[in-house]
Amino acid sequence: MLWTSLTTALVGLAAVAHGTAAASDPCAKIAGQTFVVPSDAMACLKSFPFNETLRQNVLTVISTVFDFYTFEYYYLSSPAPFQESTTNIRADIARINSTKYATDYDFNRALYDFTNQLNDGHTRWLPYCYDTFQNLLPTPIVNIEQNGVWGVFIAPDLTEFIPLVGTQYTDYFKSIGFNWERLAGAQVLQIEGQDPYAYVDYIADTISGNYLDHGVRVNSVFSSYRISSTSFSQRFGDLAGAPFPDQNSLTFTLIPVNSTLPETVTVPFLASYAGNNFTDSGSYWTNNCAANNETNGVDLLASSSLKKRDQPGRRLARAVIVDKSQTNAVGLPSPYHPTAPPVNGSTGVIKSYILPDHKTGVMFVGSFEGDYTQFQTDTQAAITSFQKAGVSRLLIDLSNNGGGYVCLGEFLISYLSGTNFGYTGFRSTSRANPLAIKIVQNLVAKGITSNYSYYAPDNWAFLNDTEMPNTYDYNSPSVPLFINGQTDASSQRFHDLCTPYDVTPPANPPFDLKNVAIVSNGDCASTCSMFSTSMYERHGTKIAVFGGKPGETMEYKGMAGNQVLEWADIDTEVKTAGLKDDPLAPPDLLVSGDLRHNWRTAWSYLDESRPIAYVSEPATYRYPYTKETYMNPQNLWTFAVNQLFD
Ligand SMILES: *[C@@H]1O[C@H](CO)[C@@H](O)[C@H](O)[C@H]1NC(C)=O
Ligand SMILES: *[C@@H]1O[C@H](CO)[C@@H](O)[C@H](O)[C@H]1NC(C)=O
Ligand SMILES: *[C@@H]1O[C@H](CO)[C@@H](O)[C@H](O)[C@H]1NC(C)=O
Ligand SMILES: *[C@@H]1O[C@H](CO)[C@@H](O)[C@H](O)[C@H]1NC(C)=O
Ligand SMILES: *[C@@H]1O[C@H](CO)[C@@H](O)[C@H](O)[C@H]1NC(C)=O
Ligand SMILES: *[C@@H]1O[C@H](CO)[C@@H](O)[C@H](O)[C@H]1NC(C)=O
Ligand SMILES: *[C@@H]1O[C@H](CO)[C@@H](O)[C@H](O)[C@H]1NC(C)=O
Ligand SMILES: *[C@@H]1O[C@H](CO)[C@@H](O)[C@H](O)[C@H]1NC(C)=O
């Protein structure tokens, strides 16, 4: 292998002449550093030459995976207000196939940008070789109202937040004599010479991705509170936490607190490394870029992989976006943590409180990820605590909830609606392309069941909630869909099968559903979108969204597909069905990366001809953040209670 011999060569060279290898190898120069000057990080990323073999491999995988992508034809003319995402996916792939690229990074970046601008967090090329750095600016911005006027400000909590990144980060700015502390709370008049909201729009259009709605993407440009894993966290936002180290600084015109004079300040970025360790270009490639034992799927029926599925039962469906800023998340400064004591069931992704009014229970549902059973026991514990305390109304915070297990969304709706309400999922379909048709045929013929395959018919129920027998081929006949002048073959419609849960929800709603409301920043994706859409469409739940661009509309949900499959998942389906040698099957990826895609569509209750992702449901209640609420969840909840409940 080329890189093995190159590594050996470099090691030999280093033994002869210390330092010369480092001088000529841009990766060796930054090896072992947690924080790296962006131009040095870029030099390492750009040190790998363009390779046509790798391009053909990646593009072949990508064009095959797009055959499974349920939203492909919607992109030809994305319905308003999502028209910004319109593109011809096949033409984009052809363009990237025929463009000349100087480096492997440039090729991967073009592919990343194309999929990122689909604005579907379920459908993206994630090149693990090149997303190892996050470019951090020590001046994240927020969007708050002061004296009745919305404006962009440097985060006022800067001096509490930035030190949480670590002394290596702050020492760098000390070493170059850059005083970021004095910029805390400064009013931003311009960014890169533009109106700050215009620049925020630019970031929302080119960097943010993940959410179809522009308004929702605007909010992800700003710094915001969230739960990362199971802890309170402050997100840098997409302006100050960029996905590539491709920018060295950003220039602001601003008025510092305690000043009246506008000044122009150029703020340096410093990139944070979160990839695997390396010592030089050779080991950088081996440890971050070459395909590894987890890149591709496996044949679950092969004896060598049988132990990988020793869990009986269904494979759990997931609908979740990837937010790279989760990998090295920074905490929320402690002054902004809720002061109300948490109730039972608050150690996982849900944090629950009774507000000082003693009437309102709050569940901050940070995601639908993590421990599948604990989510259910925590829900039960919180609601039991609320009931024991005589709480009469419930506020649910979904800020920055990126989704998770599809069945946990359905569980929470079921818990709030009571099991008597019935099915809480959506009608769903996958695409019946020729390879998908063969997969289901093979599964049926071989008796492969839902413990090995997402495609297995016994993963799904008919619309009367009876489980499909594993002999039922739901692609035969397939159902034609007409989208933007194209005819697409789809599966028959089916329901999810989530019951029985580990915790049985109550038969009747624990609270009058009129006294349940939702707040968020709109950055609520995947399972979170399905949860909020279902609460809105079926119970008329009040949903309030904070922030966004003043005077512009904003959806209450981000990206709403029904299920995502990672590259390794769809490859596992192909291999387990015995089709890896079929001419339609994609090859294994030669590089470390993921091409995830939205594999199932959820259809709206209100209009069965439209995916919920494309049903525009602007937030009916919109509020600005203020200095009191932008980073303080409990203050925000108290404000919302006064607005949303009598
Ligand atoms: C391109 O990548 C392939 C697959 O990793 C490798 O075999 C080949 O040597 C590379 N070509 C060049 C010119 O480096
Ligand atoms: C890229 O273009 C070349 C030349 O036209 C073609 O042979 C190849 O199949 C294309 N690759 C993909 C993945 O479409
Ligand atoms: C502004 O002035 C007040 C009063 O002198 C001081 O407490 C505060 O720290 C100053 N703020 C900044 C950001 O310099
Ligand atoms: C990577 O390097 C860091 C710092 O040099 C070290 O603390 C860590 O243990 C290393 N990790 C691995 C997996 O070798
Ligand atoms: C892949 O290899 C790593 C390191 O050797 C190991 O920790 C991991 O469990 C392996 N994963 C699989 C799926 O075999
Ligand atoms: C998967 O299901 C099949 C058929 O229902 C059963 O025979 C097999 O034992 C199951 N395997 C596992 C690992 O649960
Ligand atoms: C909280 O959990 C403890 C331990 O399980 C239990 O004894 C207590 O009754 C619970 N409190 C409420 C309010 O449900
Ligand atoms: C549910 O629907 C399926 C498909 O239409 C049908 O075969 C089955 O008999 C129905 N089951 C019940 C209990 O109605």
Side-chain angles (χ1 to χ4, degrees):
M1 294 300 292
L2 175 74
W3 285 116
T4 327
S5 52
L6 185 59
T7 312
T8 318
L10 284 176
V11 168
L13 193 66
V16 180
H18 293 282
T20 52
S24 58
D25 179 339
C27 294
K29 185 179 173 195
I30 59 168
Q33 298 180 12
T34 310
F35 293 101
V36 181
V37 173
S39 54
D40 287 346
M42 244 5 249
C44 171
L45 299 186
K46 287 201 167 204
S47 67
F48 305 102
F50 173 76
N51 181 317
E52 187 63 46
T53 308
L54 297 183
R55 162 157 71 181
Q56 290 310 314
N57 171 253
V58 172
L59 286 186
T60 307
V61 166
I62 279 176
S63 38
T64 317
V65 169
F66 272 112
D67 294 340
F68 293 90
Y69 181 34
T70 58
F71 296 142
E72 176 177 355
Y73 290 142
Y74 289 92
Y75 278 88
L76 292 172
S77 176
S78 299
F82 310 112
Q83 63 276 14
E84 199 175 74
S85 303
T86 294
T87 193
N88 182 325
I89 287 173
R90 301 295 162 177
D92 286 318
I93 295 173
R95 168 178 57 81
I96 294 170
N97 189 20
S98 63
T99 303
K100 259 184 144 59
Y101 297 104
T103 69
D104 187 53
Y105 168 87
D106 293 320
F107 160 65
N108 279 280
R109 182 64 195 271
L111 208 47
Y112 175 95
D113 286 345
F114 143 56
T115 57
N116 187 55
Q117 288 182 23
L118 298 175
N119 299 315
D120 169 359
H122 285 185
T123 306
R124 302 176 64 185
W125 169 240
L126 300 170
Y128 293 157
C129 186
Y130 300 113
D131 69 356
T132 50
F133 290 96
Q134 201 193 357
N135 213 18
L136 299 180
L137 193 74
T139 54
I141 55 171
V142 299
N143 175 28
I144 55 185
E145 185 196 65
Q146 273 194 163
N147 310 319
V149 182
W150 295 44
V152 175
F153 293 82
I154 305 293
D157 73 336
L158 210 60
T159 54
E160 294 149 312
F161 173 58
I162 292 297
L164 300 180
V165 184
T167 50
Q168 283 183 296
Y169 186 70
T170 51
D171 284 351
Y172 168 75
F173 292 101
K174 233 179 258 161
S175 77
I176 60 166
F178 183 78
N179 179 355
W180 49 268
E181 288 97 327
R182 71 181 192 91
L183 302 177
Q187 177 160 21
V188 177
L189 304 179
Q190 287 190 333
I191 306 175
E192 296 285 288
Q194 296 178 40
D195 173 84
Y197 284 110
Y199 195 78
V200 165
D201 278 338
Y202 164 73
I203 298 293
D205 288 345
T206 57
I207 302 294
S208 292
N210 269 343
Y211 312 103
L212 272 182
D213 181 46
H214 178 89
V216 169
R217 272 179 276 126
V218 161
N219 255 1
S220 60
V221 176
F222 296 105
S223 188
S224 52
Y225 69 77
R226 66 176 171 188
I227 291 171
S228 175
S229 181
T230 59
S231 305
F232 280 98
S233 165
Q234 178 169 348
R235 194 175 179 274
F236 263 81
D238 299 336
L239 176 109
F244 297 98
D246 57 355
Q247 230 178 336
N248 294 317
S249 62
L250 200 66
T251 298
F252 293 87
T253 304
L254 45 72
I255 305 178
V257 170
N258 296 343
S259 167
T260 50
L261 290 180
E263 53 178 285
T264 298
V265 182
T266 296
V267 184
F269 279 93
L270 188 63
S272 161
Y273 184 68
N276 296 321
N277 287 357
F278 63 94
T279 54
D280 53 23
S281 302
S283 55
Y284 184 89
W285 184 271
T286 306
N287 297 344
N288 291 292
C289 312
N292 60 52
N293 62 342
E294 294 182 355
T295 303
N296 295 295
V298 290
D299 175 357
L300 290 172
L301 295 176
S303 52
S304 58
S305 43
L306 273 181
K307 58 179 178 314
K308 294 190 173 81
R309 278 298 301 158
D310 50 9
Q311 298 282 88
R314 298 200 163 81
R315 312 195 71 191
L316 293 168
R318 290 171 73 245
V320 65
I321 57 166
V322 173
D323 178 1
K324 253 339 238 198
S325 74
Q326 295 283 3
T327 50
N328 45 0
V330 180
L332 178 70
S334 53
Y336 307 109
H337 289 211
T339 52
V343 302
N344 281 0
S346 291
T347 59
V349 300
I350 307 175
K351 310 288 176 204
S352 302
Y353 305 87
I354 296 170
L355 292 184
D357 67 10
H358 301 297
K359 288 190 287 194
T360 315
V362 176
M363 291 174 78
F364 186 0
V365 183
S367 78
F368 293 91
E369 291 275 88
D371 185 321
Y372 187 74
T373 303
Q374 189 190 349
F375 186 98
Q376 300 171 50
T377 52
D378 283 355
T379 299
Q380 184 178 46
I383 289 184
T384 304
S385 296
F386 293 158
Q387 287 176 315
K388 279 190 191 160
V391 155
S392 58
R393 55 202 194 186
L394 176 67
L395 187 69
I396 299 174
D397 192 339
L398 298 175
S399 296
N400 287 315
N401 180 322
Y405 294 111
V406 172
C407 284
L408 290 181
E410 295 184 24
F411 168 81
L412 189 54
I413 303 165
S414 200
Y415 210 99
L416 298 174
S417 319
T419 53
N420 290 340
F421 184 72
Y423 178 63
T424 54
F426 290 88
R427 292 189 176 189
S428 183
T429 53
S430 56
R431 226 171 154 186
N433 70 48
L435 186 53
I437 286 173
K438 283 189 181 180
I439 291 173
V440 178
Q441 284 171 346
N442 275 23
L443 297 173
V444 167
K446 297 179 180 198
I448 297 169
T449 47
S450 59
N451 54 5
Y452 290 124
S453 165
Y454 287 119
Y455 268 110
D458 65 331
N459 237 327
W460 318 119
F462 295 110
L463 300 182
N464 61 13
D465 294 318
T466 309
E467 180 177 311
M468 286 182 185
N470 69 358
T471 50
Y472 185 80
D473 183 345
Y474 52 83
N475 285 331
S476 174
S478 65
V479 180
L481 295 177
F482 304 100
I483 308 157
N484 286 327
Q486 307 290 316
T487 304
D488 199 21
S490 150
S491 72
Q492 295 165 21
R493 293 193 182 196
F494 49 76
H495 278 181
D496 292 308
L497 273 171
C498 293
T499 54
Y501 296 109
D502 301 315
V503 170
T504 306
N508 296 303
F511 301 101
D512 184 338
L513 283 157
K514 283 202 226 41
N515 295 332
V516 176
I518 293 174
V519 292
S520 86
N521 62 346
D523 290 28
C524 157
S526 315
T527 296
C528 183
S529 292
M530 291 193 279
F531 171 78
S532 45
T533 303
S534 189
M535 293 298 287
Y536 179 82
E537 291 195 346
R538 306 191 75 185
H539 296 311
T541 301
K542 286 182 180 172
I543 304 183
V545 172
F546 286 74
K549 212 176 149 190
E552 286 187 8
T553 63
M554 183 166 171
E555 304 286 310
Y556 67 74
K557 61 176 183 290
M559 176 58 216
N562 205 151
Q563 184 175 351
V564 59
L565 291 189
E566 313 299 338
W567 157 247
D569 293 328
I570 188 74
D571 193 38
T572 291
E573 293 291 326
V574 171
K575 287 173 174 165
T576 302
L579 288 165
K580 191 66 177 182
D581 295 330
D582 191 277
L584 294 172
D588 275 5
L589 264 182
L590 298 176
V591 292
S592 177
D594 186 14
L595 181 74
R596 55 200 330 254
H597 77 284
N598 188 69
W599 177 61
R600 286 202 281 139
T601 291
W603 298 92
S604 173
Y605 295 108
L606 302 181
D607 179 351
E608 286 283 349
S609 73
R610 291 161 77 198
I612 57 170
Y614 287 108
V615 176
S616 171
E617 285 167 349
T620 11
Y621 300 86
R622 280 280 302 281
Y623 304 105
Y625 286 104
T626 62
K627 232 176 160 169
E628 288 67 43
T629 58
Y630 78 96
M631 208 52 70
N632 186 317
Q634 187 172 324
N635 283 353
L636 184 137
W637 302 332
T638 303
F639 171 86
V641 162
N642 290 330
Q643 304 294 319
L644 300 174
F645 295 123
D646 310 321

